[in-house]
mmCIF file of all heavy atoms in Angstrom:
data_model
loop_
_atom_site.group_PDB
_atom_site.id
_atom_site.type_symbol
_atom_site.label_atom_id
_atom_site.label_comp_id
_atom_site.label_asym_id
_atom_site.label_seq_id
_atom_site.Cartn_x
_atom_site.Cartn_y
_atom_site.Cartn_z
ATOM 1 N N MET A 980 15.138 -4.760 -11.275
ATOM 2 C CA MET A 980 14.008 -3.948 -11.614
ATOM 3 C C MET A 980 13.428 -4.444 -12.927
ATOM 4 O O MET A 980 14.140 -4.698 -13.875
ATOM 5 C CB MET A 980 14.412 -2.492 -11.741
ATOM 6 C CG MET A 980 14.744 -1.831 -10.429
ATOM 7 S SD MET A 980 14.989 -0.082 -10.669
ATOM 8 C CE MET A 980 16.128 0.228 -9.368
ATOM 9 N N GLY A 997 -1.990 10.504 -18.535
ATOM 10 C CA GLY A 997 -1.440 9.805 -17.383
ATOM 11 C C GLY A 997 -0.141 10.436 -16.950
ATOM 12 O O GLY A 997 0.260 11.476 -17.445
ATOM 13 N N THR A 999 3.974 9.318 -15.817
ATOM 14 C CA THR A 999 5.006 8.290 -15.780
ATOM 15 C C THR A 999 5.987 8.647 -14.675
ATOM 16 O O THR A 999 6.503 9.759 -14.629
ATOM 17 C CB THR A 999 5.740 8.201 -17.129
ATOM 18 O OG1 THR A 999 4.788 7.917 -18.153
ATOM 19 C CG2 THR A 999 6.790 7.102 -17.110
ATOM 20 N N HIS A 1003 13.548 5.128 -10.372
ATOM 21 C CA HIS A 1003 14.590 5.771 -9.564
ATOM 22 C C HIS A 1003 13.959 6.751 -8.573
ATOM 23 O O HIS A 1003 14.395 6.847 -7.417
ATOM 24 C CB HIS A 1003 15.591 6.480 -10.473
ATOM 25 C CG HIS A 1003 16.740 7.079 -9.749
ATOM 26 N ND1 HIS A 1003 17.652 6.324 -9.043
ATOM 27 C CD2 HIS A 1003 17.134 8.364 -9.592
ATOM 28 C CE1 HIS A 1003 18.548 7.118 -8.492
ATOM 29 N NE2 HIS A 1003 18.256 8.360 -8.809
ATOM 30 N N VAL A 1004 12.925 7.457 -8.991
ATOM 31 C CA VAL A 1004 12.222 8.385 -8.098
ATOM 32 C C VAL A 1004 11.527 7.612 -6.982
ATOM 33 O O VAL A 1004 11.578 8.004 -5.814
ATOM 34 C CB VAL A 1004 11.212 9.238 -8.896
ATOM 35 C CG1 VAL A 1004 10.300 10.028 -7.967
ATOM 36 C CG2 VAL A 1004 11.952 10.167 -9.847
ATOM 37 N N ILE A 1005 10.884 6.504 -7.331
ATOM 38 C CA ILE A 1005 10.208 5.686 -6.322
ATOM 39 C C ILE A 1005 11.223 5.147 -5.317
ATOM 40 O O ILE A 1005 10.986 5.157 -4.106
ATOM 41 C CB ILE A 1005 9.431 4.531 -6.990
ATOM 42 C CG1 ILE A 1005 8.340 5.099 -7.902
ATOM 43 C CG2 ILE A 1005 8.818 3.605 -5.942
ATOM 44 C CD1 ILE A 1005 7.706 4.073 -8.819
ATOM 45 N N LEU A 1008 12.192 7.930 -2.915
ATOM 46 C CA LEU A 1008 11.147 8.169 -1.921
ATOM 47 C C LEU A 1008 11.183 7.103 -0.826
ATOM 48 O O LEU A 1008 11.127 7.405 0.360
ATOM 49 C CB LEU A 1008 9.762 8.173 -2.579
ATOM 50 C CG LEU A 1008 9.372 9.408 -3.363
ATOM 51 C CD1 LEU A 1008 8.077 9.161 -4.132
ATOM 52 C CD2 LEU A 1008 9.214 10.600 -2.431
ATOM 53 N N ALA A 1009 11.287 5.845 -1.240
ATOM 54 C CA ALA A 1009 11.323 4.738 -0.283
ATOM 55 C C ALA A 1009 12.584 4.803 0.577
ATOM 56 O O ALA A 1009 12.530 4.603 1.795
ATOM 57 C CB ALA A 1009 11.243 3.400 -1.008
ATOM 58 N N GLY A 1010 13.726 5.101 -0.035
ATOM 59 C CA GLY A 1010 14.986 5.185 0.696
ATOM 60 C C GLY A 1010 14.995 6.298 1.725
ATOM 61 O O GLY A 1010 15.436 6.123 2.857
ATOM 62 N N ARG A 1011 14.463 7.453 1.341
ATOM 63 C CA ARG A 1011 14.415 8.576 2.281
ATOM 64 C C ARG A 1011 13.485 8.264 3.449
ATOM 65 O O ARG A 1011 13.806 8.529 4.608
ATOM 66 C CB ARG A 1011 13.965 9.847 1.599
ATOM 67 C CG ARG A 1011 13.725 10.942 2.599
ATOM 68 C CD ARG A 1011 14.021 12.315 2.203
ATOM 69 N NE ARG A 1011 15.012 12.488 1.201
ATOM 70 C CZ ARG A 1011 15.993 13.363 1.314
ATOM 71 N NH1 ARG A 1011 16.125 14.047 2.407
ATOM 72 N NH2 ARG A 1011 16.847 13.535 0.344
ATOM 73 N N ARG A 1014 15.244 5.825 5.799
ATOM 74 C CA ARG A 1014 16.303 6.459 6.588
ATOM 75 C C ARG A 1014 15.743 7.352 7.695
ATOM 76 O O ARG A 1014 16.373 7.539 8.722
ATOM 77 C CB ARG A 1014 17.212 7.290 5.676
ATOM 78 C CG ARG A 1014 18.181 6.464 4.893
ATOM 79 C CD ARG A 1014 18.972 7.334 3.910
ATOM 80 N NE ARG A 1014 19.896 6.541 3.160
ATOM 81 C CZ ARG A 1014 19.571 5.738 2.151
ATOM 82 N NH1 ARG A 1014 18.322 5.625 1.781
ATOM 83 N NH2 ARG A 1014 20.488 5.035 1.510
ATOM 84 N N ASP A 1015 14.557 7.927 7.467
ATOM 85 C CA ASP A 1015 13.943 8.819 8.447
ATOM 86 C C ASP A 1015 13.166 8.079 9.534
ATOM 87 O O ASP A 1015 12.633 8.701 10.442
ATOM 88 C CB ASP A 1015 13.006 9.812 7.744
ATOM 89 C CG ASP A 1015 13.762 10.840 6.918
ATOM 90 O OD1 ASP A 1015 14.993 10.977 7.100
ATOM 91 O OD2 ASP A 1015 13.127 11.501 6.080
ATOM 92 N N VAL A 1020 19.405 2.777 11.128
ATOM 93 C CA VAL A 1020 20.680 3.479 11.150
ATOM 94 C C VAL A 1020 21.168 3.761 9.729
ATOM 95 O O VAL A 1020 21.684 4.834 9.445
ATOM 96 C CB VAL A 1020 21.738 2.645 11.921
ATOM 97 C CG1 VAL A 1020 23.101 3.304 11.871
ATOM 98 C CG2 VAL A 1020 21.292 2.427 13.354
ATOM 99 N N GLU A 1024 23.474 -2.863 1.085
ATOM 100 C CA GLU A 1024 23.282 -3.828 0.015
ATOM 101 C C GLU A 1024 24.612 -4.491 -0.322
ATOM 102 O O GLU A 1024 25.663 -3.993 0.068
ATOM 103 C CB GLU A 1024 22.654 -3.175 -1.205
ATOM 104 C CG GLU A 1024 23.438 -2.061 -1.823
ATOM 105 C CD GLU A 1024 22.641 -1.329 -2.882
ATOM 106 O OE1 GLU A 1024 21.510 -1.738 -3.171
ATOM 107 O OE2 GLU A 1024 23.143 -0.364 -3.420
ATOM 108 N N PHE A 1034 26.521 5.482 -9.643
ATOM 109 C CA PHE A 1034 26.173 6.709 -10.344
ATOM 110 C C PHE A 1034 24.725 7.130 -10.137
ATOM 111 O O PHE A 1034 24.313 8.169 -10.605
ATOM 112 C CB PHE A 1034 26.456 6.556 -11.840
ATOM 113 C CG PHE A 1034 27.914 6.405 -12.111
ATOM 114 C CD1 PHE A 1034 28.449 5.173 -12.423
ATOM 115 C CD2 PHE A 1034 28.764 7.493 -12.018
ATOM 116 C CE1 PHE A 1034 29.803 5.032 -12.663
ATOM 117 C CE2 PHE A 1034 30.115 7.359 -12.248
ATOM 118 C CZ PHE A 1034 30.645 6.126 -12.579
ATOM 119 N N LEU A 1044 13.155 -2.678 -6.249
ATOM 120 C CA LEU A 1044 11.787 -2.509 -6.713
ATOM 121 C C LEU A 1044 11.447 -3.558 -7.758
ATOM 122 O O LEU A 1044 12.293 -3.943 -8.561
ATOM 123 C CB LEU A 1044 11.592 -1.122 -7.330
ATOM 124 C CG LEU A 1044 11.913 0.070 -6.446
ATOM 125 C CD1 LEU A 1044 11.750 1.360 -7.234
ATOM 126 C CD2 LEU A 1044 11.036 0.092 -5.220
ATOM 127 N N VAL A 1051 3.953 -1.521 -7.274
ATOM 128 C CA VAL A 1051 5.381 -1.727 -7.072
ATOM 129 C C VAL A 1051 5.582 -2.467 -5.752
ATOM 130 O O VAL A 1051 5.000 -2.116 -4.733
ATOM 131 C CB VAL A 1051 6.153 -0.384 -7.108
ATOM 132 C CG1 VAL A 1051 5.736 0.533 -5.998
ATOM 133 C CG2 VAL A 1051 7.647 -0.602 -7.073
ATOM 134 N N ARG A 1061 20.957 -1.258 17.569
ATOM 135 C CA ARG A 1061 20.916 -2.349 18.542
ATOM 136 C C ARG A 1061 20.035 -1.950 19.718
ATOM 137 O O ARG A 1061 20.085 -0.819 20.187
ATOM 138 C CB ARG A 1061 22.317 -2.680 19.031
ATOM 139 C CG ARG A 1061 22.387 -3.932 19.895
ATOM 140 C CD ARG A 1061 23.806 -4.260 20.335
ATOM 141 N NE ARG A 1061 24.806 -4.209 19.283
ATOM 142 C CZ ARG A 1061 25.072 -5.197 18.406
ATOM 143 N NH1 ARG A 1061 24.386 -6.311 18.473
ATOM 144 N NH2 ARG A 1061 26.004 -5.061 17.507
ATOM 145 N N VAL A 1063 16.643 -1.884 19.717
ATOM 146 C CA VAL A 1063 15.272 -1.521 19.366
ATOM 147 C C VAL A 1063 14.441 -2.784 19.180
ATOM 148 O O VAL A 1063 14.983 -3.873 18.966
ATOM 149 C CB VAL A 1063 15.206 -0.665 18.073
ATOM 150 C CG1 VAL A 1063 15.938 0.637 18.246
ATOM 151 C CG2 VAL A 1063 15.714 -1.432 16.862
ATOM 152 N N ASN A 1064 13.135 -2.633 19.262
ATOM 153 C CA ASN A 1064 12.221 -3.735 18.987
ATOM 154 C C ASN A 1064 12.149 -3.876 17.466
ATOM 155 O O ASN A 1064 11.517 -3.064 16.789
ATOM 156 C CB ASN A 1064 10.848 -3.421 19.584
ATOM 157 C CG ASN A 1064 9.858 -4.533 19.374
ATOM 158 O OD1 ASN A 1064 9.853 -5.202 18.349
ATOM 159 N ND2 ASN A 1064 8.989 -4.715 20.351
ATOM 160 N N ILE A 1065 12.793 -4.897 16.939
ATOM 161 C CA ILE A 1065 12.900 -5.059 15.483
ATOM 162 C C ILE A 1065 11.527 -5.159 14.826
ATOM 163 O O ILE A 1065 11.287 -4.556 13.779
ATOM 164 C CB ILE A 1065 13.781 -6.272 15.131
ATOM 165 C CG1 ILE A 1065 15.230 -5.997 15.561
ATOM 166 C CG2 ILE A 1065 13.713 -6.592 13.648
ATOM 167 C CD1 ILE A 1065 16.174 -7.157 15.390
ATOM 168 N N VAL A 1076 7.197 3.991 4.569
ATOM 169 C CA VAL A 1076 7.538 3.831 3.155
ATOM 170 C C VAL A 1076 6.265 3.781 2.315
ATOM 171 O O VAL A 1076 6.165 4.437 1.277
ATOM 172 C CB VAL A 1076 8.416 2.583 2.930
ATOM 173 C CG1 VAL A 1076 8.558 2.258 1.460
ATOM 174 C CG2 VAL A 1076 9.789 2.794 3.564
ATOM 175 N N GLY A 1084 4.242 10.029 -3.869
ATOM 176 C CA GLY A 1084 4.576 9.637 -5.233
ATOM 177 C C GLY A 1084 3.386 9.262 -6.092
ATOM 178 O O GLY A 1084 3.482 9.216 -7.310
ATOM 179 N N GLU A 1096 19.902 -6.370 7.823
ATOM 180 C CA GLU A 1096 21.228 -6.856 7.459
ATOM 181 C C GLU A 1096 22.209 -6.837 8.619
ATOM 182 O O GLU A 1096 23.128 -7.634 8.666
ATOM 183 C CB GLU A 1096 21.804 -6.021 6.302
ATOM 184 C CG GLU A 1096 21.003 -6.091 5.013
ATOM 185 C CD GLU A 1096 21.120 -7.404 4.290
ATOM 186 O OE1 GLU A 1096 21.964 -8.256 4.654
ATOM 187 O OE2 GLU A 1096 20.338 -7.622 3.338
ATOM 188 N N ASP A 1097 22.002 -5.905 9.567
ATOM 189 C CA ASP A 1097 22.954 -5.788 10.670
ATOM 190 C C ASP A 1097 22.327 -4.948 11.773
ATOM 191 O O ASP A 1097 21.322 -4.270 11.564
ATOM 192 C CB ASP A 1097 24.233 -5.111 10.174
ATOM 193 C CG ASP A 1097 25.435 -5.327 11.097
ATOM 194 O OD1 ASP A 1097 25.296 -6.037 12.111
ATOM 195 O OD2 ASP A 1097 26.501 -4.754 10.813
ATOM 196 N N LEU A 1098 22.941 -5.004 12.963
ATOM 197 C CA LEU A 1098 22.580 -4.154 14.092
ATOM 198 C C LEU A 1098 23.810 -3.368 14.484
ATOM 199 O O LEU A 1098 24.923 -3.899 14.494
ATOM 200 C CB LEU A 1098 22.105 -4.995 15.278
ATOM 201 C CG LEU A 1098 20.856 -5.829 15.064
ATOM 202 C CD1 LEU A 1098 20.621 -6.743 16.265
ATOM 203 C CD2 LEU A 1098 19.652 -4.942 14.832
#
Side-chain angles (χ1 to χ4, degrees):
M980 289 188 209
T999 302
H1003 184 63
V1004 170
I1005 298 168
L1008 284 171
R1011 172 146 333 227
R1014 283 175 180 76
D1015 290 345
V1020 176
E1024 60 189 356
F1034 294 104
L1044 303 177
V1051 63
R1061 188 178 313 277
V1063 298
N1064 182 324
I1065 293 175
V1076 169
E1096 298 288 350
D1097 198 2
L1098 297 173

